């Protein structure tokens, strides 16, 4: 079986880590195409090297731009690539980025069967570009691989039932595989000037939080009010916005360059709690038994909200301080599978071959 995988943004590299390995093991012939959406070495290259992901056959070099520019350029380049190469049995995409959307549209128009890993997630907030990307991609997919049972239910509620599979979350597979390496490879003193359990870990990059000076300013005020110092591997997008809006970073924040996946697991392991607007980190915090304060008003990862492991705080300082004062008491549950999502996806694709 020949699978063409299209990826381009940091979270997709993480998701690819275990699936590419499972494909190789099962004899599936996978070709990777990198759209070039993320191009800084710290956002891309380090992940391929560290996680042993096969080198992409081609990098389309699309880079940044408005949504239409970025999506359009990707579609043009992908269409050309697909028409000049032998037709794959399936085109596979991950998650909800503009790379996902453009590949889904091109596959559908060229009638290449589409497989969507991380299908069925919804925030019900159409102001998020990722929400539009998910809805369209799910509509166009033949295989919809869902990380949770609630994702299956959400698809069913939209009338999508065929090709829908609950497989568990490939990100859980990846975390289980690499977690044992994190402490060994990255002792905390190599990463931050803080002791174990004495800092918060922050990430912030969503358009809704970074594109508006007032919102970004509010986020900084919120972080400044925290009772512990904060380690912040800063996304290039956020760095650019802070400079453009001339917003100062509060002095309790230790700003870092973006880190690789394994260093991120080590930072998470050492943190008291997490503040983030990332989707992936909400789950990684859950699986690592670290409370998470999500800097948004909705989440696609509903299960993490149970028992207070994750709290939606938006930009509301009172909600942040309330959440910090009521840590979770009960154990997490295995909502996102058993760590064998990659094997399950591989098996299902091979059945169709
Ligand atoms: C994208 C995804 C988001 C995902 C995130 C993870 C979309 C719509 N959004 O957002 O779902 O959670 O990636 O990181 O696809 N930039 C660099 N270097 C890079 C990449 C980006 O400097 O390597 C800067 C540029 O200023 C660029 C900005 O970041 O304009 C935005 O980049 P973009 O490709 O839109 O994606 P993200 O904001 O990273």
């Amino acid at each position: 079986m020949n699978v063409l995988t299209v990826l381009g943004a940091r979270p997709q590299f993480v998701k690819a880590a275990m699936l590419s390995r499972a494909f190789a093991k099962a004899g599936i012939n996978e070709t990777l195409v990198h759209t070039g959406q993320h191009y800084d070495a710290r956002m891309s290259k380090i992940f391929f090297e560290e996680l042993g992901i096969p080198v992409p056959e081609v990098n389309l070099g699309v880079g940044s731009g408005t949504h239409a520019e970025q999506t359009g350029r990707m579609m043009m380049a992908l269409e050309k690539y697909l028409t000049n190469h032998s037709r794959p049995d399936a085109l596979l995409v991950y998650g909800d980025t503009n790379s996902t959307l453009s590949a889904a549209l091109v596959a559908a128009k060229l009638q290449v069967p589409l497989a969507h890993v991380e299908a069925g997630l919804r925030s019900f907030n159409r102001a998020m570009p990722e929400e539009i990307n998910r809805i369209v991609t799910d509509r166009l997919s033949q295989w919809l691989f869902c990380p949770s049972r609630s994702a299956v239910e959400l698809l069913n509620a939209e009338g999508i039932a065929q090709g829908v599979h609950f497989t568990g979350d490939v990100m859980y597979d990846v975390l289980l595989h690499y977690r044992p390496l994190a402490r060994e490879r990255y002792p905390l003193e190599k990463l931050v000037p803080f002791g174990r359990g004495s800092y918060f870990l922050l990430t912030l990059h969503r358009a809704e939080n970074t594109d508006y000076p007032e919102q970004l300013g509010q986020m900084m005020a919120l972080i400044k009010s925290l009772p512990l110092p904060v380690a912040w591997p800063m996304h290039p997008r956020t760095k650019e916005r802070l400079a453009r809006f001339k917003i100062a970073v509060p002095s309790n924040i230790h700003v870092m360059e973006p880190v690789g996946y394994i260093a991120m697991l080590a930072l998470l392991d050492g943190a008291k709690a997490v503040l983030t607007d990332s989707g992936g980190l909400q789950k990684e915090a859950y699986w690592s038994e670290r409370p998470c304060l999500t800097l948004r008003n909705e989440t696609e990862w509903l299960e993490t909200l149970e028992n207070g492991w994750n709290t939606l705080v938006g930009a509301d300082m009172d909600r942040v301080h309330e959440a910090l004062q009521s840590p979770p008491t009960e154990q997490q549950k295995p909502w996102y599978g058993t760590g064998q999502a990659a094997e399950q996806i591989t098996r299902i694709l091979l059945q169709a071959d």
Side-chain angles (χ1 to χ4, degrees):
M1 185 180 204
N2 294 310
V3 174
L4 183 75
T5 297
V6 178
L7 31 63
R10 184 169 60 176
Q12 294 165 333
F13 311 142
V14 175
K15 287 168 197 153
M18 296 307 282
L19 194 53
S20 286
R21 210 164 291 169
F23 281 176
K25 207 166 143 198
I28 292 181
N29 179 21
E30 186 190 32
T31 305
L32 268 77
V33 170
H34 191 316
T35 62
Q37 175 168 355
H38 283 174
Y39 43 87
D40 286 351
R42 285 195 179 94
M43 299 291 288
S44 176
K45 190 159 167 252
I46 181 174
F47 291 86
F48 283 84
E49 289 172 355
E50 187 178 67
L51 305 179
I53 304 163
V55 177
E57 184 172 289
V58 60
N59 187 320
L60 304 176
V62 165
S64 307
T66 67
H67 286 283
E69 283 165 0
Q70 196 177 47
T71 311
R73 282 204 296 267
M74 286 180 198
M75 287 182 69
M76 285 159 68
L78 281 169
E79 184 183 59
K80 200 172 198 179
Y81 179 89
L82 273 160
T83 37
N84 289 337
H85 289 78
S86 53
R87 187 189 160 83
D89 299 305
L91 189 149
L92 185 136
V93 292
Y94 292 101
D96 56 18
T97 70
N98 288 342
S99 297
T100 314
L101 173 71
S102 53
L105 287 168
V106 170
K109 298 279 171 104
L110 295 177
Q111 298 186 32
V112 176
L114 180 66
H116 186 202
V117 176
E118 205 178 82
L121 298 186
R122 297 291 181 267
S123 65
F124 299 100
N125 174 3
R126 289 207 181 187
M128 278 178 80
E130 291 85 355
E131 183 76 352
I132 310 293
N133 297 348
R134 292 179 194 124
I135 293 169
V136 176
T137 305
D138 283 340
R139 278 276 150 201
L140 299 176
S141 294
Q142 273 70 37
W143 292 276
L144 300 100
F145 298 120
C146 296
S148 62
R149 294 205 185 273
S150 61
V152 174
E153 283 163 23
L154 287 171
L155 287 173
N156 291 346
E158 289 178 17
I160 307 175
Q162 211 181 346
V164 175
H165 305 271
F166 167 63
T167 57
D169 194 328
V170 285
M171 288 190 79
Y172 187 44
D173 300 17
V174 181
L175 179 122
L176 291 179
H177 187 86
Y178 285 101
R179 189 160 53 188
L181 280 181
R183 272 199 199 190
E184 185 190 309
R185 207 177 280 183
Y186 292 98
L188 210 50
E189 59 272 20
K190 265 192 175 176
L191 294 168
V192 282
F194 313 124
R196 188 163 295 283
S198 66
Y199 67 94
F200 295 122
L201 176 62
L202 168 71
T203 77
L204 188 74
H205 77 274
R206 294 242 167 243
E208 70 222 54
N209 282 330
T210 57
D211 282 2
Y212 309 98
E214 199 184 317
Q215 179 76 5
L216 190 53
Q218 259 183 26
M219 284 290 161
M220 292 303 106
L222 185 154
I223 305 301
K224 193 176 171 184
S225 77
L226 292 173
L228 286 177
V230 176
W232 186 10
M234 196 188 278
H235 195 291
R237 169 192 197 110
T238 315
K239 190 175 177 181
E240 192 272 332
R241 299 296 192 272
L242 284 167
R244 191 195 307 172
F245 304 146
K246 299 191 172 55
I247 295 175
V249 174
S251 60
N252 63 331
I253 298 185
H254 173 71
V255 174
M256 309 165 70
E257 293 290 341
V259 296
Y261 178 74
I262 300 174
M264 195 65 186
L265 289 186
L267 281 174
L268 179 56
D269 179 57
K272 171 98 175 156
V274 173
L275 291 102
T276 190
D277 61 1
S278 147
L281 194 56
Q282 291 175 51
K283 292 176 295 172
E284 286 159 349
Y286 187 76
W287 297 323
S288 305
E289 304 185 9
R290 295 292 176 275
C292 181
L293 280 66
T294 294
L295 302 163
R296 292 175 48 197
N297 293 313
E298 72 281 316
T299 180
E300 300 78 32
W301 305 102
L302 300 169
E303 298 82 359
T304 61
L305 297 174
E306 253 187 31
N307 300 323
W309 281 102
N310 186 8
T311 311
L312 297 173
V313 295
D316 187 328
M317 222 180 267
D318 293 340
R319 272 194 269 162
V320 169
H321 290 277
E322 266 165 42
L324 289 175
Q325 272 152 27
S326 43
T329 46
E330 294 202 23
Q331 276 293 305
Q332 305 89 329
K333 296 198 184 114
W335 293 117
Y336 300 104
T338 55
Q340 279 143 357
E343 277 90 1
Q344 286 220 46
I345 291 170
T346 306
R347 213 174 310 128
I348 295 164
L349 283 172
L350 283 172
Q351 275 164 10
D353 191 30

